[in-house]
Amino acid sequence: MSVTALVGLQWGDEGKGKVVDYLAADMDVVARGAGGANAGHTIVLDDGTKRVLHLLPSGMVRPDPLCLMGAGMVVEPWQMVSEMKEAGLEPSTASRRLLLSPRAQMVLPYHRILEERLEAILNIGTTRRGIGPTYALGALRMGTPVGLLGHREELRAWLQRMHDMVAGFGSGDLPDPLEVLESLDAVSNWLLSTTGNVTGELHRARAAGKRILLEGAQGVMLDLLHGTYPFVTSSSTTATGLAAGVGLGPSDMDRVIGVVKAYTTRVGEGPFPTEEHGPAGEMLAQKGGEFGATTGRPRRCGWLDLVALKWAVRVSGARELVLTKLDVLDGLEEIPLCVAYEVPGLGRVEDMPEDAWLYAKVRPVYEMAKGWSSSAGLSDPHVRDYISLIEEFTGARVIKASWGPRRSQMGEP
Ligand code: GDP
Ligand code: IMO
Ligand code: MG
């Protein structure tokens, strides 16, 4: 029996989709436990076919694994149905491949409208998918779990409540609760057909010795508690958050793997010490194709930040790493690696300051790594040196590294 959790260790978009798809070839179960359609996980098959999943676990792209979506997720019903259709699922058979927890909260038009209001004030640069308000109202016990779809009268009353509550924020014209109810009626059989006991299934699978992969979304630096607050998402993006989101305990996890991009990207606002505003940033964006899979926004780009990575390794409990996008650094003479910060009032520090406002003022201290001409096959000694530097600094072992988007462009260093 084995449970592996896989999480992103930066600000998301590390290549988790690719790595999950790669590992899913040997998995019986792939489960998501946090986030919603703010995620965009891209998988490129060896024939070049590209799939982007926002809600469904990336294990869906493989023919076999059972895919689970846990209570910690927030699910927009219409998006869910469109992804189910794209994956070739039908209500009559969907539950053979996909189980959704009735406890997962639904994202409704009211949440999106509320987010528009909040973004006008906060300017976090969210994905505007209604994620924050859905988690927040869930925490206030004013949420709408998927299971409510099976109780139409109660759902109608909750929608009215939600409408009245959001109206209290002065949010202008709001959709009529009956209209929302009707548009939910049009998709509820799809969602209910795939709703089931996710946590029960997961524990049964674990006891039966099945191989289980927990698929993280976002990245540790976007974690609500341990990320760069307030420029974070509204869920827990660590391995413990992921386990909690599917109903496993911390001791149920056998391995935690962190996915790391060979440089750094960030979408939305918030501090990013190694960001490059000039030609280097432009080069990384161009070569790395750094445009958000969810919103199409250009991603901000910069060098690998080992200080932030060490923090993320600790907070997530990752002992193993998968390094992606080495090919984007091909052809550079030397590559800056951030090994410390200059912090106002404190001087040089090698740990991430916990004070978010102080973090916005740190300056990176770089050491130079030697570049390489091609990372393909990972045979160049300077590629190996780069990997060793990451291992030494973080204390985690790089078990795989990738030099292209396709399934086969990944190997052991
Ligand atoms: P996720 O959110 O962590 O799943 O990452 P995204 O899918 O949002 O973004 C990662 C992007 O990088 C996708 O377009 C992948 O196809 C691509 N990708 C993954 N690994 C590699 C790699 O090693 N090299 C290159 N060039 N692209 C990669
Ligand atoms: P994947 O799973 C990159 C960012 C948003 C914004 C902040 C809050 O593809 O790695 P939210 O809509 O969650 O309230 O936005 O978090 N963000 C992501 N950035 N990849 C993601 O997911 C992200 N999910 C949220 O850009 O800065
Ligand atoms: Mg992404």
Side-chain angles (χ1 to χ4, degrees), residues 290-312:
E290 296 294 356
F291 293 90
T294 297
T295 58
R297 290 178 290 176
R299 296 176 181 147
R300 300 155 62 192
C301 296
W303 304 116
L304 185 58
D305 183 340
L306 290 177
V307 182
L309 183 59
K310 188 167 70 179
W311 167 262

Side-chain angles (χ1 to χ4, degrees), residues 13-18 40-42 44 299 325 327 402-405:
D13 303 328
E14 298 89 351
K16 298 175 293 295
K18 168 173 172 159
H41 298 166
T42 312
V44 182
R299 296 176 181 147
K325 302 193 95 160
D327 53 304
S402 125
W403 60 85

Side-chain angles (χ1 to χ4, degrees), residues 44-265:
V44 182
L45 308 187
D46 278 329
D47 65 6
T49 313
K50 184 166 150 181
R51 293 279 307 275
V52 182
L53 297 159
H54 298 283
L55 281 173
L56 301 193
S58 300
M60 280 305 300
V61 176
R62 296 275 179 186
D64 299 321
L66 174 66
C67 289
L68 306 178
M69 297 170 63
M73 287 193 71
V74 289
V75 174
E76 190 181 80
W78 305 276
Q79 169 74 22
M80 176 77 186
V81 171
S82 99
E83 286 191 40
M84 287 175 75
K85 286 181 179 164
E86 210 171 311
L89 299 177
E90 293 286 340
S92 53
T93 54
S95 62
R96 287 191 214 143
R97 267 317 298 280
L98 182 70
L99 276 192
L100 165 66
S101 169
R103 296 171 182 247
Q105 297 280 339
M106 288 191 286
V107 183
L108 299 176
Y110 301 116
H111 298 106
R112 283 201 182 218
I113 291 166
L114 193 49
E115 178 154 51
E116 289 299 323
R117 295 278 301 172
L118 291 168
E119 270 295 90
I121 301 162
L122 297 172
N123 194 25
I124 304 291
T126 71
T127 57
R128 295 179 187 257
R129 297 288 185 120
I131 305 296
T134 306
Y135 278 117
L137 294 185
L140 286 171
R141 285 129 317 163
M142 295 185 74
T144 43
V146 168
L148 254 184
L149 290 172
H151 308 273
R152 200 171 184 277
E153 264 319 290
E154 288 90 336
L155 176 60
R156 196 189 55 74
W158 270 146
L159 290 173
Q160 185 67 53
R161 249 178 159 189
M162 178 86 66
H163 170 277
D164 297 348
M165 197 276 305
V166 178
F169 281 85
S171 299
D173 273 347
L174 293 177
D176 184 272
L178 279 181
E179 273 171 32
V180 178
L181 185 64
E182 277 164 19
S183 57
L184 283 170
D185 284 342
V187 293
S188 65
N189 69 321
W190 280 83
L191 278 101
L192 291 173
S193 75
T194 201
T195 303
N197 187 341
V198 165
T199 301
E201 188 60 40
L202 205 48
H203 282 273
R204 240 191 319 280
R206 186 170 176 274
K210 306 273 188 198
R211 296 155 302 179
I212 299 166
L213 179 64
L214 308 183
E215 171 181 349
Q218 288 76 53
V220 169
M221 299 299 284
L222 289 169
D223 183 80
L224 179 61
L225 295 181
H226 302 291
T228 48
Y229 191 87
F231 301 99
V232 292
T233 190
S234 298
S235 60
S236 170
T237 60
T238 61
T240 33
L242 179 52
V246 293
L248 288 176
S251 57
D252 293 331
M253 284 183 287
D254 301 283
R255 295 171 76 186
V256 180
I257 301 175
V259 185
V260 186
K261 206 179 270 192
Y263 50 100
T264 309
T265 61

Side-chain angles (χ1 to χ4, degrees), residues 15-34:
K16 298 175 293 295
K18 168 173 172 159
V19 182
V20 168
D21 171 69
Y22 182 93
L23 298 175
D26 296 322
M27 294 290 163
D28 301 302
V29 177
V30 178
R32 261 190 74 178

